[in-house]
């Protein structure tokens, strides 16, 4: 195989496909950004688990899976995966906006409602309600009659920052990351589409590697006659 063909086949490791490197363009990489997104989501997932917030736990789990699929689509040159990731980010932003409205009690929403975030399975609230910065938890005895036996009745005071604002900050960070990811996903899809169109325009390469142009000769062979002088002597 010619050296040129080997180099072209080696271009398949480019996250944007072989086209981008052939044209000398620098392919966008999402590794570092994706790791930051996963760390932020995992951090939020941990605190939602501690607070028994089942709806956010389910949403965070789905988000982690979609982020991994989006990264896979970028590395393996799969525009459909990236497009699906961008569509999910729209839903993810909508969910986080709802969480912000829920904790700020916008409209008829109330953060004391058990049905929305815990599916009415438990009476737990956000983990930050008892463990926020500067919070002091005091048990109230005797507990009211309506309190379940396996729950304790407490009062929380002295918090430097109320738990609902911490949850709002988490959701706001996710919205910022989602908007940045959406813009980047659109850019990657645009990059791949442009490279694919230009690659198809020049004819592309077959699946067996690059076949260099074969040299053909347009000269026709003509018989050659040599004249040998004869010696009359």
């Amino acid at each position: 195989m010619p050296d040129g063909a080997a180099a072209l086949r080696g271009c398949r490791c480019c996250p944007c496909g072989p086209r981008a490197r052939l044209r000398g363009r620098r392919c966008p990489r999402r590794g570092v950004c994706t790791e930051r997104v996963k760390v932020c989501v995992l951090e939020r997932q941990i605190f939602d688990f501690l607070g028994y917030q089942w709806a956010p736990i389910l949403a965070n789990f789905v988000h982690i899976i979609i982020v991994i699929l989006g990264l896979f689509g970028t590395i393996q040159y799969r525009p459909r995966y990236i497009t699906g990731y961008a569509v999910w980010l729209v839903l993810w932003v909508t969910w986080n906006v709802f969480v912000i409205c829920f904790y700020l009690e916008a409209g008829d929403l109330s953060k004391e409602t058990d049905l929305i975030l815990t599916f009415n399975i438990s009476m737990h609230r956000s983990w930050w309600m008892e463990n926020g910065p500067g919070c002091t938890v005091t048990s109230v005895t005797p507990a009211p009659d309506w309190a379940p036996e396996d729950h304790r009745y407490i009062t929380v005071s002295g918090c430097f920052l109320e738990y609902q604002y911490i949850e709002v900050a988490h959701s706001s960070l996710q919205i910022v990351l989602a908007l940045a990811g959406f813009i980047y996903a659109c850019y990657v899809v645009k990059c791949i589409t442009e490279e694919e169109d230009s690659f198809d325009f020049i004819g592309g390469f077959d699946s067996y590697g690059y076949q260099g142009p074969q040299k053909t000769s347009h000269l026709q062979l003509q018989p050659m006659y040599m004249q040998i002088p004869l010696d009359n002597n």
Side-chain angles (χ1 to χ4, degrees):
M1 181 182 294
D3 294 339
L8 291 173
R9 296 189 67 179
C11 291
R12 297 182 182 275
C13 62
C14 179
C16 293
R19 291 83 166 171
R21 188 170 296 181
L22 290 176
R23 294 184 59 188
R25 294 182 58 178
R26 183 178 181 181
C27 299
R29 297 182 181 272
R30 301 183 54 202
V32 177
C33 297
T34 305
E35 290 301 325
R36 293 177 181 176
V37 170
K38 288 193 291 186
V39 168
C40 292
V41 177
L42 287 175
E43 178 265 342
R44 186 179 182 182
Q45 183 78 309
I46 291 173
F47 291 115
D48 287 336
F49 262 115
L50 294 175
Y52 299 96
Q53 305 294 294
W54 301 115
I57 288 171
L58 180 61
N60 294 335
F61 178 77
V62 174
H63 184 60
I64 293 173
I65 298 299
I66 299 298
V67 169
I68 294 175
L69 291 177
L71 178 62
F72 173 80
T74 303
I75 295 176
Q76 297 295 326
Y77 180 60
R78 304 290 178 86
R80 293 184 179 179
Y81 285 80
I82 306 174
T83 304
Y85 170 72
V87 173
W88 165 254
L89 287 180
V90 176
L91 301 177
W92 182 245
V93 169
T94 304
W95 163 253
N96 283 278
V97 170
F98 168 76
V99 172
I100 291 176
C101 295
F102 174 79
Y103 280 107
L104 295 181
E105 297 185 329
D108 296 332
L109 296 175
S110 175
K111 62 179 180 292
E112 304 299 331
T113 304
D114 298 328
L115 179 61
I116 297 180
L117 297 186
T118 63
F119 297 143
N120 207 23
I121 298 177
S122 66
M123 298 178 63
H124 290 84
R125 299 292 184 268
S126 171
W127 182 83
W128 296 102
M129 182 177 181
E130 302 179 25
N131 301 274
C135 292
T136 302
V137 180
T138 304
S139 298
V140 177
T141 54
D145 297 335
W146 53 266
E149 295 181 358
D150 57 342
H151 288 66
R152 59 173 182 163
Y153 192 72
I154 62 173
T155 60
V156 182
S157 60
C159 297
F160 297 138
L161 187 64
E162 297 293 335
Y163 74 95
Q164 61 265 27
Y165 299 116
I166 298 178
E167 294 289 353
V168 167
H170 275 91
S171 296
S172 300
L173 176 61
Q174 294 298 323
I175 291 175
V176 172
L177 293 175
L179 292 177
F182 180 82
I183 295 174
Y184 199 88
C186 293
Y187 170 73
V188 172
V189 172
K190 179 177 179 295
C191 174
I192 293 175
T193 304
E194 290 180 352
E195 297 296 341
E196 188 175 21
D197 293 341
S198 61
F199 187 72
D200 293 337
F201 176 75
I202 63 176
F205 301 106
D206 57 20
S207 58
Y208 298 98
Y210 173 71
Q211 299 292 336
Q214 298 180 357
K215 295 182 179 180
T216 57
S217 176
H218 298 285
L219 299 177
Q220 296 182 358
L221 298 178
Q222 300 291 338
M224 180 180 295
Y225 299 96
M226 298 181 63
Q227 186 176 6
I228 302 176
L230 298 177
D231 189 0
N232 296 329
N233 296 329

